[in-house]
Amino acid sequence: MLGLILCILILPIGMISGMILFQKNTIPYSENSNAKHGKISVIIPARNEEKNLPHLLDSLFNQSVQPDEIIVIDDHSQDQTKHIAEEYGVTTFTAPPLPAGWTGKNWAVWNGYLQSNGDILLFLDADIQLAENAIQSLISAQKRQSGVLSVVPYHRAEKFYEKFAMVLNILGAFSFTSPFEKNNLQKGLYGACIVTTRDDYEKAGGHQMIRNEMLDDLNLGALFQNAGIKVSNYIGTDLVSFRMYPNGIKSELEGFAKGAILSTSSLHPLTLSSIILWIIGLVSSQFCFLFFGSKYFIPLLIGYICFAIQIFYINHYIGSFGIVHPCFHFLSMLFFLAVIVYSLYQSVFRKKVIWKGRYIQVGRGDQS
């Protein structure tokens, strides 16, 4: 009887935790293309991005508000990334040799900033795509609230294996939109899309101040806040999207694992505890199949269906994960557990993670 009571309690507590964590904090849509703003610089660090870069550049050239300069920093790619950027006629250069004490992306972004002239800096990962009014809406949002903002992009998951990332994407949205993060002095930014004024970036110290940090975006958010600059996070939904790992499940596993464990350290305790409660509720509901025919089956099955409905609702705002993965959400949970185990192995035992052919030492930022 006690087990049945606990089962009935765990499921709604998990559901409620998810409802509290997920805030539909979408970017306010703006159509006022005549609004005054400063010079806009788009800075794109790119390493082996020949497949993604054309989509981003096409979307940039299709903006209702055109950036004044687009800078692509080739981070010593082994493919046609630099050649593609040059063909588009944007400012393109290869980052200088990586100095000791810097991570590759931080070094590339910093050199892009040094080459820029804009009053407004828009840092974009190469796999981003922007809707026609995205830059206009981003700049309007930044101007309205001041400070720095970032966007968790809508995940365009196409292949079956890509959709295994569903639970991880939901947890990412929870982490960045949680109401408990509002006053968290360690609140991070989502590095794929960041908008700031040049003055604020320089006041915070920029990427040179986090040169050796693997989790550059999370540490950058804390850097801005330490400088007294407001940090705000949105979800991209209709305006900012990306396709994260189209090159196979191995790259998907490595991409998520490189920061899965370490990223939790900056979360507010109430955010982290609520996420844990949601995961416990979700996993508990998935045990319904093991208790078929017992007194636990019906309440667990009801919980399973309720979590599937909640996931469908959240997915509408954060990613295209289809029907199969929300209905059989234990598949995505198994992938999440694999990422956590692999992340623990890399960060705790190996003390280094691998990403795009580089080994990054955990805690030091040295690369080989």
Side-chain angles (χ1 to χ4, degrees), residues 47-49 51-52 127 155 159 161-162 164-165 168 243-259 335 339 342 346 353-357:
R47 178 173 170 84
N48 299 333
E49 296 285 1
K51 294 181 180 179
N52 290 318
D127 55 3
H155 187 180
K159 297 180 181 178
Y161 79 84
E162 293 177 63
F164 286 140
L168 284 157
R243 186 181 177 195
M244 295 188 75
Y245 302 112
N247 298 320
I249 195 168
K250 180 182 178 183
S251 66
E252 184 174 32
L253 178 62
E254 290 177 349
F256 280 111
K258 64 182 169 65
F335 181 74
V339 167
Y342 187 47
Q346 291 191 103
V353 300
I354 185 171
W355 180 235
K356 293 191 175 182

mmCIF file of all heavy atoms in Angstrom, residues 47-49 51-52 127 155 159 161-162 164-165 168 243-259 335 339 342 346 353-357:
data_model
loop_
_atom_site.group_PDB
_atom_site.id
_atom_site.type_symbol
_atom_site.label_atom_id
_atom_site.label_comp_id
_atom_site.label_asym_id
_atom_site.label_seq_id
_atom_site.Cartn_x
_atom_site.Cartn_y
_atom_site.Cartn_z
ATOM 1 N N ARG A 47 33.835 25.812 -37.350
ATOM 2 C CA ARG A 47 34.821 24.741 -37.504
ATOM 3 C C ARG A 47 34.129 23.545 -38.161
ATOM 4 O O ARG A 47 33.211 22.960 -37.598
ATOM 5 C CB ARG A 47 35.421 24.342 -36.163
ATOM 6 C CG ARG A 47 36.430 23.195 -36.246
ATOM 7 C CD ARG A 47 37.110 22.965 -34.907
ATOM 8 N NE ARG A 47 37.899 21.759 -34.868
ATOM 9 C CZ ARG A 47 39.157 21.636 -35.297
ATOM 10 N NH1 ARG A 47 39.760 22.710 -35.815
ATOM 11 N NH2 ARG A 47 39.807 20.503 -35.222
ATOM 12 N N ASN A 48 34.541 23.237 -39.382
ATOM 13 C CA ASN A 48 33.974 22.122 -40.149
ATOM 14 C C ASN A 48 32.455 22.251 -40.280
ATOM 15 O O ASN A 48 31.697 21.350 -39.922
ATOM 16 C CB ASN A 48 34.346 20.786 -39.489
ATOM 17 C CG ASN A 48 35.845 20.562 -39.431
ATOM 18 O OD1 ASN A 48 36.587 21.074 -40.254
ATOM 19 N ND2 ASN A 48 36.294 19.789 -38.461
ATOM 20 N N GLU A 49 32.030 23.386 -40.813
ATOM 21 C CA GLU A 49 30.605 23.697 -40.908
ATOM 22 C C GLU A 49 30.152 23.896 -42.355
ATOM 23 O O GLU A 49 29.262 24.682 -42.634
ATOM 24 C CB GLU A 49 30.281 24.952 -40.092
ATOM 25 C CG GLU A 49 30.504 24.831 -38.602
ATOM 26 C CD GLU A 49 29.433 24.007 -37.904
ATOM 27 O OE1 GLU A 49 28.518 23.503 -38.593
ATOM 28 O OE2 GLU A 49 29.516 23.863 -36.659
ATOM 29 N N LYS A 51 28.340 22.161 -44.266
ATOM 30 C CA LYS A 51 26.950 21.808 -44.536
ATOM 31 C C LYS A 51 25.971 22.799 -43.909
ATOM 32 O O LYS A 51 24.883 23.023 -44.448
ATOM 33 C CB LYS A 51 26.664 20.395 -44.024
ATOM 34 C CG LYS A 51 27.427 19.310 -44.765
ATOM 35 C CD LYS A 51 27.091 17.931 -44.222
ATOM 36 C CE LYS A 51 27.842 16.844 -44.968
ATOM 37 N NZ LYS A 51 27.539 15.482 -44.438
ATOM 38 N N ASN A 52 26.349 23.369 -42.787
ATOM 39 C CA ASN A 52 25.437 24.268 -42.073
ATOM 40 C C ASN A 52 25.550 25.721 -42.502
ATOM 41 O O ASN A 52 24.552 26.445 -42.552
ATOM 42 C CB ASN A 52 25.700 24.188 -40.561
ATOM 43 C CG ASN A 52 25.263 22.879 -39.956
ATOM 44 O OD1 ASN A 52 24.203 22.363 -40.287
ATOM 45 N ND2 ASN A 52 26.076 22.329 -39.067
ATOM 46 N N ASP A 127 25.281 26.579 -37.155
ATOM 47 C CA ASP A 127 24.136 25.728 -37.477
ATOM 48 C C ASP A 127 22.800 26.427 -37.251
ATOM 49 O O ASP A 127 21.742 25.815 -37.397
ATOM 50 C CB ASP A 127 24.182 24.422 -36.686
ATOM 51 C CG ASP A 127 24.281 24.622 -35.177
ATOM 52 O OD1 ASP A 127 24.266 25.793 -34.730
ATOM 53 O OD2 ASP A 127 24.382 23.623 -34.449
ATOM 54 N N HIS A 155 14.709 23.220 -32.121
ATOM 55 C CA HIS A 155 15.524 22.131 -32.667
ATOM 56 C C HIS A 155 14.784 21.429 -33.801
ATOM 57 O O HIS A 155 13.786 20.751 -33.574
ATOM 58 C CB HIS A 155 15.863 21.130 -31.562
ATOM 59 C CG HIS A 155 16.825 20.060 -31.991
ATOM 60 N ND1 HIS A 155 17.255 19.071 -31.161
ATOM 61 C CD2 HIS A 155 17.461 19.855 -33.171
ATOM 62 C CE1 HIS A 155 18.103 18.275 -31.805
ATOM 63 N NE2 HIS A 155 18.228 18.740 -33.031
ATOM 64 N N LYS A 159 16.113 13.262 -38.625
ATOM 65 C CA LYS A 159 16.281 11.805 -38.627
ATOM 66 C C LYS A 159 15.835 11.216 -37.293
ATOM 67 O O LYS A 159 15.797 11.899 -36.279
ATOM 68 C CB LYS A 159 17.742 11.456 -38.913
ATOM 69 C CG LYS A 159 18.226 11.906 -40.283
ATOM 70 C CD LYS A 159 19.689 11.540 -40.502
ATOM 71 C CE LYS A 159 20.184 12.015 -41.870
ATOM 72 N NZ LYS A 159 21.608 11.704 -42.082
ATOM 73 N N TYR A 161 17.290 9.172 -35.207
ATOM 74 C CA TYR A 161 18.254 9.224 -34.106
ATOM 75 C C TYR A 161 18.369 10.637 -33.528
ATOM 76 O O TYR A 161 18.648 10.802 -32.333
ATOM 77 C CB TYR A 161 19.628 8.720 -34.557
ATOM 78 C CG TYR A 161 20.432 9.726 -35.342
ATOM 79 C CD1 TYR A 161 21.207 10.690 -34.696
ATOM 80 C CD2 TYR A 161 20.414 9.731 -36.730
ATOM 81 C CE1 TYR A 161 21.931 11.632 -35.413
ATOM 82 C CE2 TYR A 161 21.130 10.659 -37.452
ATOM 83 C CZ TYR A 161 21.900 11.606 -36.800
ATOM 84 O OH TYR A 161 22.619 12.536 -37.498
ATOM 85 N N GLU A 162 18.186 11.669 -34.356
ATOM 86 C CA GLU A 162 18.271 13.046 -33.858
ATOM 87 C C GLU A 162 17.205 13.324 -32.798
ATOM 88 O O GLU A 162 17.415 14.124 -31.884
ATOM 89 C CB GLU A 162 18.111 14.035 -35.014
ATOM 90 C CG GLU A 162 19.243 14.018 -36.033
ATOM 91 C CD GLU A 162 18.986 14.977 -37.182
ATOM 92 O OE1 GLU A 162 18.911 16.200 -36.922
ATOM 93 O OE2 GLU A 162 18.834 14.514 -38.332
ATOM 94 N N PHE A 164 16.206 11.402 -30.528
ATOM 95 C CA PHE A 164 16.554 10.879 -29.209
ATOM 96 C C PHE A 164 16.924 12.012 -28.250
ATOM 97 O O PHE A 164 16.882 11.840 -27.034
ATOM 98 C CB PHE A 164 17.730 9.910 -29.297
ATOM 99 C CG PHE A 164 17.385 8.573 -29.892
ATOM 100 C CD1 PHE A 164 18.252 7.946 -30.773
ATOM 101 C CD2 PHE A 164 16.195 7.938 -29.573
ATOM 102 C CE1 PHE A 164 17.945 6.704 -31.312
ATOM 103 C CE2 PHE A 164 15.873 6.700 -30.114
ATOM 104 C CZ PHE A 164 16.756 6.082 -30.998
ATOM 105 N N ALA A 165 17.280 13.169 -28.794
ATOM 106 C CA ALA A 165 17.688 14.312 -27.968
ATOM 107 C C ALA A 165 16.501 15.036 -27.344
ATOM 108 O O ALA A 165 16.688 16.052 -26.674
ATOM 109 C CB ALA A 165 18.495 15.294 -28.822
ATOM 110 N N LEU A 168 16.706 15.755 -23.562
ATOM 111 C CA LEU A 168 17.800 16.692 -23.314
ATOM 112 C C LEU A 168 17.411 18.111 -23.710
ATOM 113 O O LEU A 168 17.768 19.079 -23.038
ATOM 114 C CB LEU A 168 19.052 16.251 -24.069
ATOM 115 C CG LEU A 168 19.788 15.059 -23.436
ATOM 116 C CD1 LEU A 168 20.629 14.326 -24.472
ATOM 117 C CD2 LEU A 168 20.656 15.517 -22.279
ATOM 118 N N ARG A 243 19.558 22.822 -36.564
ATOM 119 C CA ARG A 243 19.591 21.367 -36.640
ATOM 120 C C ARG A 243 20.922 20.959 -36.044
ATOM 121 O O ARG A 243 21.983 21.232 -36.604
ATOM 122 C CB ARG A 243 19.463 20.880 -38.076
ATOM 123 C CG ARG A 243 19.355 19.367 -38.175
ATOM 124 C CD ARG A 243 19.249 18.885 -39.606
ATOM 125 N NE ARG A 243 19.232 17.426 -39.647
ATOM 126 C CZ ARG A 243 19.435 16.722 -40.757
ATOM 127 N NH1 ARG A 243 19.653 17.356 -41.913
ATOM 128 N NH2 ARG A 243 19.414 15.399 -40.711
ATOM 129 N N MET A 244 20.890 20.292 -34.915
ATOM 130 C CA MET A 244 22.085 20.170 -34.099
ATOM 131 C C MET A 244 23.102 19.152 -34.620
ATOM 132 O O MET A 244 24.267 19.467 -34.822
ATOM 133 C CB MET A 244 21.710 19.823 -32.654
ATOM 134 C CG MET A 244 20.936 20.903 -31.945
ATOM 135 S SD MET A 244 20.701 20.565 -30.184
ATOM 136 C CE MET A 244 22.316 20.915 -29.526
ATOM 137 N N TYR A 245 22.688 17.912 -34.824
ATOM 138 C CA TYR A 245 23.664 16.865 -35.113
ATOM 139 C C TYR A 245 23.208 15.998 -36.284
ATOM 140 O O TYR A 245 22.776 14.861 -36.102
ATOM 141 C CB TYR A 245 23.894 16.003 -33.862
ATOM 142 C CG TYR A 245 24.365 16.814 -32.681
ATOM 143 C CD1 TYR A 245 23.555 17.003 -31.568
ATOM 144 C CD2 TYR A 245 25.621 17.428 -32.686
ATOM 145 C CE1 TYR A 245 23.993 17.757 -30.488
ATOM 146 C CE2 TYR A 245 26.052 18.195 -31.621
ATOM 147 C CZ TYR A 245 25.240 18.354 -30.520
ATOM 148 O OH TYR A 245 25.670 19.112 -29.461
ATOM 149 N N PRO A 246 23.325 16.532 -37.513
ATOM 150 C CA PRO A 246 22.896 15.769 -38.684
ATOM 151 C C PRO A 246 23.916 14.742 -39.162
ATOM 152 O O PRO A 246 23.656 14.011 -40.118
ATOM 153 C CB PRO A 246 22.704 16.864 -39.743
ATOM 154 C CG PRO A 246 23.701 17.911 -39.369
ATOM 155 C CD PRO A 246 23.759 17.895 -37.862
ATOM 156 N N ASN A 247 25.087 14.682 -38.511
ATOM 157 C CA ASN A 247 26.180 13.841 -39.011
ATOM 158 C C ASN A 247 26.333 12.518 -38.277
ATOM 159 O O ASN A 247 27.391 11.902 -38.311
ATOM 160 C CB ASN A 247 27.494 14.615 -38.940
ATOM 161 C CG ASN A 247 27.480 15.856 -39.806
ATOM 162 O OD1 ASN A 247 26.954 15.834 -40.918
ATOM 163 N ND2 ASN A 247 28.021 16.944 -39.297
ATOM 164 N N GLY A 248 25.295 12.078 -37.583
ATOM 165 C CA GLY A 248 25.350 10.776 -36.947
ATOM 166 C C GLY A 248 25.185 10.829 -35.448
ATOM 167 O O GLY A 248 25.419 11.857 -34.805
ATOM 168 N N ILE A 249 24.785 9.691 -34.880
ATOM 169 C CA ILE A 249 24.500 9.628 -33.454
ATOM 170 C C ILE A 249 25.761 9.784 -32.613
ATOM 171 O O ILE A 249 25.706 10.236 -31.470
ATOM 172 C CB ILE A 249 23.757 8.311 -33.115
ATOM 173 C CG1 ILE A 249 23.133 8.400 -31.721
ATOM 174 C CG2 ILE A 249 24.686 7.109 -33.243
ATOM 175 C CD1 ILE A 249 22.149 7.301 -31.422
ATOM 176 N N LYS A 250 26.936 9.449 -33.172
ATOM 177 C CA LYS A 250 28.176 9.617 -32.420
ATOM 178 C C LYS A 250 28.426 11.094 -32.114
ATOM 179 O O LYS A 250 28.766 11.458 -30.984
ATOM 180 C CB LYS A 250 29.359 9.036 -33.192
ATOM 181 C CG LYS A 250 30.686 9.175 -32.455
ATOM 182 C CD LYS A 250 31.849 8.635 -33.278
ATOM 183 C CE LYS A 250 33.174 8.841 -32.545
ATOM 184 N NZ LYS A 250 34.330 8.372 -33.371
ATOM 185 N N SER A 251 28.252 11.949 -33.126
ATOM 186 C CA SER A 251 28.451 13.384 -32.903
ATOM 187 C C SER A 251 27.398 13.932 -31.950
ATOM 188 O O SER A 251 27.668 14.843 -31.155
ATOM 189 C CB SER A 251 28.410 14.151 -34.234
ATOM 190 O OG SER A 251 27.122 14.090 -34.822
ATOM 191 N N GLU A 252 26.182 13.386 -31.991
ATOM 192 C CA GLU A 252 25.129 13.810 -31.073
ATOM 193 C C GLU A 252 25.500 13.457 -29.634
ATOM 194 O O GLU A 252 25.352 14.276 -28.721
ATOM 195 C CB GLU A 252 23.812 13.143 -31.461
ATOM 196 C CG GLU A 252 22.625 13.591 -30.628
ATOM 197 C CD GLU A 252 21.314 13.016 -31.146
ATOM 198 O OE1 GLU A 252 21.333 11.885 -31.690
ATOM 199 O OE2 GLU A 252 20.278 13.682 -30.995
ATOM 200 N N LEU A 253 26.001 12.238 -29.438
ATOM 201 C CA LEU A 253 26.406 11.801 -28.106
ATOM 202 C C LEU A 253 27.554 12.658 -27.577
ATOM 203 O O LEU A 253 27.535 13.126 -26.436
ATOM 204 C CB LEU A 253 26.819 10.325 -28.145
ATOM 205 C CG LEU A 253 27.312 9.707 -26.837
ATOM 206 C CD1 LEU A 253 26.214 9.735 -25.784
ATOM 207 C CD2 LEU A 253 27.798 8.281 -27.069
ATOM 208 N N GLU A 254 28.577 12.900 -28.416
ATOM 209 C CA GLU A 254 29.723 13.707 -27.995
ATOM 210 C C GLU A 254 29.312 15.147 -27.710
ATOM 211 O O GLU A 254 29.784 15.764 -26.748
ATOM 212 C CB GLU A 254 30.802 13.682 -29.079
ATOM 213 C CG GLU A 254 31.510 12.353 -29.227
ATOM 214 C CD GLU A 254 32.530 12.354 -30.354
ATOM 215 O OE1 GLU A 254 32.542 13.319 -31.155
ATOM 216 O OE2 GLU A 254 33.312 11.388 -30.428
ATOM 217 N N GLY A 255 28.423 15.681 -28.539
ATOM 218 C CA GLY A 255 28.007 17.068 -28.377
ATOM 219 C C GLY A 255 27.283 17.322 -27.072
ATOM 220 O O GLY A 255 27.558 18.305 -26.369
ATOM 221 N N PHE A 256 26.363 16.443 -26.728
ATOM 222 C CA PHE A 256 25.626 16.617 -25.478
ATOM 223 C C PHE A 256 26.471 16.253 -24.261
ATOM 224 O O PHE A 256 26.358 16.879 -23.205
ATOM 225 C CB PHE A 256 24.346 15.779 -25.491
ATOM 226 C CG PHE A 256 23.222 16.402 -26.261
ATOM 227 C CD1 PHE A 256 22.788 15.859 -27.457
ATOM 228 C CD2 PHE A 256 22.591 17.545 -25.793
ATOM 229 C CE1 PHE A 256 21.741 16.432 -28.174
ATOM 230 C CE2 PHE A 256 21.550 18.134 -26.494
ATOM 231 C CZ PHE A 256 21.121 17.575 -27.689
ATOM 232 N N ALA A 257 27.337 15.253 -24.405
ATOM 233 C CA ALA A 257 28.096 14.762 -23.253
ATOM 234 C C ALA A 257 29.176 15.736 -22.798
ATOM 235 O O ALA A 257 29.564 15.718 -21.627
ATOM 236 C CB ALA A 257 28.727 13.407 -23.575
ATOM 237 N N LYS A 258 29.643 16.615 -23.690
ATOM 238 C CA LYS A 258 30.772 17.465 -23.313
ATOM 239 C C LYS A 258 30.445 18.422 -22.174
ATOM 240 O O LYS A 258 31.350 18.882 -21.475
ATOM 241 C CB LYS A 258 31.300 18.248 -24.525
ATOM 242 C CG LYS A 258 30.346 19.243 -25.151
ATOM 243 C CD LYS A 258 30.999 19.892 -26.377
ATOM 244 C CE LYS A 258 30.027 20.685 -27.203
ATOM 245 N NZ LYS A 258 29.459 21.850 -26.564
ATOM 246 N N GLY A 259 29.166 18.698 -21.945
ATOM 247 C CA GLY A 259 28.851 19.618 -20.855
ATOM 248 C C GLY A 259 27.685 19.193 -19.995
ATOM 249 O O GLY A 259 27.232 19.956 -19.142
ATOM 250 N N PHE A 335 18.534 7.446 -24.041
ATOM 251 C CA PHE A 335 19.629 8.215 -24.640
ATOM 252 C C PHE A 335 20.163 9.231 -23.638
ATOM 253 O O PHE A 335 21.379 9.442 -23.534
ATOM 254 C CB PHE A 335 19.147 8.926 -25.904
ATOM 255 C CG PHE A 335 20.229 9.727 -26.588
ATOM 256 C CD1 PHE A 335 21.238 9.099 -27.292
ATOM 257 C CD2 PHE A 335 20.238 11.115 -26.518
ATOM 258 C CE1 PHE A 335 22.244 9.821 -27.919
ATOM 259 C CE2 PHE A 335 21.238 11.855 -27.125
ATOM 260 C CZ PHE A 335 22.242 11.206 -27.835
ATOM 261 N N VAL A 339 24.017 9.605 -22.296
ATOM 262 C CA VAL A 339 24.779 10.861 -22.313
ATOM 263 C C VAL A 339 25.354 11.157 -20.931
ATOM 264 O O VAL A 339 26.528 11.543 -20.811
ATOM 265 C CB VAL A 339 23.875 12.027 -22.789
ATOM 266 C CG1 VAL A 339 24.534 13.375 -22.504
ATOM 267 C CG2 VAL A 339 23.577 11.889 -24.275
ATOM 268 N N TYR A 342 28.279 8.786 -20.221
ATOM 269 C CA TYR A 342 29.447 9.136 -21.035
ATOM 270 C C TYR A 342 30.060 10.452 -20.555
ATOM 271 O O TYR A 342 31.285 10.611 -20.517
ATOM 272 C CB TYR A 342 29.033 9.233 -22.501
ATOM 273 C CG TYR A 342 30.197 9.426 -23.458
ATOM 274 C CD1 TYR A 342 31.344 8.653 -23.366
ATOM 275 C CD2 TYR A 342 30.125 10.382 -24.472
ATOM 276 C CE1 TYR A 342 32.399 8.821 -24.245
ATOM 277 C CE2 TYR A 342 31.174 10.559 -25.358
ATOM 278 C CZ TYR A 342 32.315 9.776 -25.247
ATOM 279 O OH TYR A 342 33.351 9.951 -26.111
ATOM 280 N N GLN A 346 33.892 11.035 -19.127
ATOM 281 C CA GLN A 346 34.840 12.003 -19.680
ATOM 282 C C GLN A 346 35.283 13.037 -18.644
ATOM 283 O O GLN A 346 36.480 13.331 -18.527
ATOM 284 C CB GLN A 346 34.222 12.722 -20.885
ATOM 285 C CG GLN A 346 34.018 11.853 -22.105
ATOM 286 C CD GLN A 346 33.664 12.675 -23.316
ATOM 287 O OE1 GLN A 346 34.474 12.922 -24.200
ATOM 288 N NE2 GLN A 346 32.433 13.147 -23.371
ATOM 289 N N VAL A 353 37.198 16.115 -22.577
ATOM 290 C CA VAL A 353 36.113 15.762 -23.485
ATOM 291 C C VAL A 353 36.591 15.980 -24.909
ATOM 292 O O VAL A 353 37.538 16.733 -25.161
ATOM 293 C CB VAL A 353 34.845 16.604 -23.216
ATOM 294 C CG1 VAL A 353 34.349 16.392 -21.798
ATOM 295 C CG2 VAL A 353 35.098 18.088 -23.481
ATOM 296 N N ILE A 354 35.935 15.307 -25.852
ATOM 297 C CA ILE A 354 36.298 15.466 -27.254
ATOM 298 C C ILE A 354 35.156 16.146 -27.994
ATOM 299 O O ILE A 354 33.985 15.847 -27.772
ATOM 300 C CB ILE A 354 36.619 14.100 -27.908
ATOM 301 C CG1 ILE A 354 37.118 14.315 -29.344
ATOM 302 C CG2 ILE A 354 35.432 13.148 -27.845
ATOM 303 C CD1 ILE A 354 37.664 13.062 -29.985
ATOM 304 N N TRP A 355 35.523 17.104 -28.842
ATOM 305 C CA TRP A 355 34.521 17.791 -29.661
ATOM 306 C C TRP A 355 35.186 18.307 -30.923
ATOM 307 O O TRP A 355 36.172 19.033 -30.866
ATOM 308 C CB TRP A 355 33.868 18.930 -28.891
ATOM 309 C CG TRP A 355 32.818 19.674 -29.674
ATOM 310 C CD1 TRP A 355 32.745 21.007 -29.928
ATOM 311 C CD2 TRP A 355 31.677 19.098 -30.332
ATOM 312 N NE1 TRP A 355 31.638 21.291 -30.682
ATOM 313 C CE2 TRP A 355 30.960 20.145 -30.947
ATOM 314 C CE3 TRP A 355 31.195 17.790 -30.443
ATOM 315 C CZ2 TRP A 355 29.798 19.929 -31.681
ATOM 316 C CZ3 TRP A 355 30.024 17.585 -31.186
ATOM 317 C CH2 TRP A 355 29.335 18.648 -31.782
ATOM 318 N N LYS A 356 34.630 17.900 -32.083
ATOM 319 C CA LYS A 356 35.122 18.311 -33.395
ATOM 320 C C LYS A 356 36.616 18.061 -33.553
ATOM 321 O O LYS A 356 37.369 18.914 -34.042
ATOM 322 C CB LYS A 356 34.775 19.781 -33.666
ATOM 323 C CG LYS A 356 33.278 20.025 -33.806
ATOM 324 C CD LYS A 356 32.962 21.395 -34.335
ATOM 325 C CE LYS A 356 31.465 21.543 -34.561
ATOM 326 N NZ LYS A 356 31.119 22.868 -35.115
ATOM 327 N N GLY A 357 37.035 16.884 -33.109
ATOM 328 C CA GLY A 357 38.418 16.485 -33.305
ATOM 329 C C GLY A 357 39.407 17.055 -32.318
ATOM 330 O O GLY A 357 40.615 16.831 -32.447
#
